[in-house]
Amino acid sequence: MARTASSAGLAKDSDSVRQERVYRTEAIVLREMDYAEADRILTLLTPGGKLSALGRGIRRPTSRRVGHLGLFYRVQLMLARGRNLDTITQAECLEAYEGLRGDLLRFTHACYAGELVERFAQEGEENQPLYDLMAQALRWLAEEHDLPLWTRYLELRVLSVSGYQPDLFHCVNCHRDIQPEVNYLHAAQGGLLCARCGPGQPQARAVSLNAQKVLRYLQTHDTADVRALKVGNATHSEVESLLRGYLEYTLERELKSVAFLQRLRREMTST
Ligand SMILES: [Zn+2]
């Protein structure tokens, strides 16, 4: 840019540098941590990835600039780039998800959703579908009735938009169609193993027919259909436990691959 600067263009140039220091983004507040006397460090989910930012004076009741910032708010932000942390200079609340406030059960489910999405989100890695999903999930958890079911739905959606959707229709080993019988979920292989391939695999977990139906239904239906679904306690517990195992395995692999990439990057820049 400096190369094109003429004497007349100098002022314009410093203007554009100033503009680049400041940027706008939509964000959802995933986590907040008190900092210094009246500041707070926020973990934000944006369509452009995860971001930590400083809200100066945010804990002062009179803070007008950033008074519209709170946990699980969807906000429009102005930020100034900083050496370590970007600073929030303006905030406007777009959606407060009122149903979450003052309802411990709903709020607790939102906390879990926030933790889950935070673990799948990467810094500086664009993921608009993950952002849209979190915005929707907070709406579900603020308004819908069967919170555990909507949480399972969220878990499957998070896996899908992160590129880890389990294959529930074909055996991940022999590729035959999955038949309506007990089959086996295998996280490392990314889906179900059929009744021939599954038995004897130490990491494979048997899945009842009912649990398979619920998993498939949640994976392939939209919100109106989820609202109509009723799942018995035993089946729900099975689905919950299967998904927990699947998520834990996937997150561990994700963490390892991120650590591997970081190490690779360090080694490449140090040579
Ligand atoms: Zn098979």
Side-chain angles (χ1 to χ4, degrees):
M1 212 184 295
R3 221 176 295 155
T4 60
S6 63
S7 53
L10 272 176
K12 211 184 267 173
D13 254 21
S14 61
D15 267 359
S16 63
V17 168
R18 208 174 303 142
Q19 275 165 13
E20 282 166 24
R21 270 199 67 228
V22 175
Y23 63 98
R24 280 168 76 87
T25 183
E26 213 184 285
I28 295 168
V29 181
L30 292 184
R31 197 149 52 89
E32 44 185 23
M33 193 176 73
D34 288 352
Y35 178 73
E37 227 172 88
D39 304 344
R40 201 166 264 166
I41 294 173
L42 303 179
T43 304
L44 303 166
L45 182 72
T46 78
K50 197 163 52 174
L51 179 76
S52 293
L54 182 66
R56 275 193 213 284
I58 198 172
R59 279 152 60 210
R60 289 200 186 97
T62 52
S63 168
R64 228 183 315 156
R65 264 194 319 185
V66 290
H68 298 289
L69 270 173
L71 196 54
F72 308 131
Y73 279 28
R74 189 164 66 84
V75 289
Q76 182 71 49
L77 297 180
M78 275 291 235
L79 293 116
R81 287 188 208 283
R83 194 168 299 175
N84 298 312
L85 273 182
D86 295 355
T87 301
I88 298 165
T89 57
Q90 263 180 50
E92 183 195 338
C93 180
L94 301 174
E95 203 167 354
Y97 305 101
E98 289 298 340
L100 299 178
R101 322 287 156 192
D103 184 322
L104 189 60
L105 195 62
R106 290 184 185 280
F107 195 78
T108 307
H109 278 82
C111 290
Y112 171 73
E115 273 170 36
L116 181 71
V117 167
E118 185 185 341
R119 289 175 77 188
F120 275 94
Q122 301 299 330
E123 274 176 39
E125 196 177 281
E126 200 178 311
N127 194 339
Q128 179 82 46
L130 186 64
Y131 180 81
D132 293 341
L133 176 62
M134 186 61 190
Q136 267 190 309
L138 290 174
R139 229 165 283 148
W140 303 331
L141 298 175
E143 293 163 12
E144 301 290 349
H145 292 294
D146 191 346
L147 300 180
L149 183 65
W150 287 94
T151 303
R152 304 290 86 77
Y153 187 54
L154 169 67
E155 289 170 339
L156 276 164
R157 284 274 168 273
V158 167
L159 285 168
S160 297
V161 301
S162 307
Y164 295 106
Q165 173 166 300
D167 191 341
L168 304 173
F169 293 88
H170 306 92
C171 172
V172 289
N173 184 50
C174 73
H175 309 294
R176 285 194 184 88
D177 288 351
I178 286 293
Q179 300 301 316
E181 55 193 338
V182 169
N183 292 289
Y184 298 82
L185 189 64
H186 198 289
Q189 296 205 43
L192 286 175
L193 289 166
C194 71
R196 288 205 289 187
C197 301
Q201 291 279 341
Q203 289 176 32
R205 292 185 57 187
V207 189
S208 73
L209 197 52
N210 278 341
Q212 289 175 59
K213 281 185 190 161
V214 171
L215 286 166
R216 284 176 164 202
Y217 187 97
L218 291 176
Q219 193 180 72
T220 52
H221 286 73
D222 63 16
T223 52
D225 293 329
V226 174
R227 206 164 286 133
L229 184 65
K230 296 271 175 289
V231 180
N233 284 343
T235 304
H236 185 273
S237 295
E238 185 184 353
V239 168
E240 180 177 15
S241 153
L242 288 164
L243 279 173
R244 188 185 304 135
Y246 200 92
L247 286 162
E248 273 165 15
Y249 178 87
T250 306
L251 279 165
E252 210 169 289
R253 185 169 60 174
E254 169 93 9
L255 283 179
K256 275 184 196 150
S257 72
V258 168
F260 175 75
L261 278 175
Q262 283 169 346
R263 200 171 65 226
L264 201 66
R265 225 172 275 157
R266 267 200 306 273
E267 280 168 11
M268 284 173 78
T269 50
S270 67
T271 51

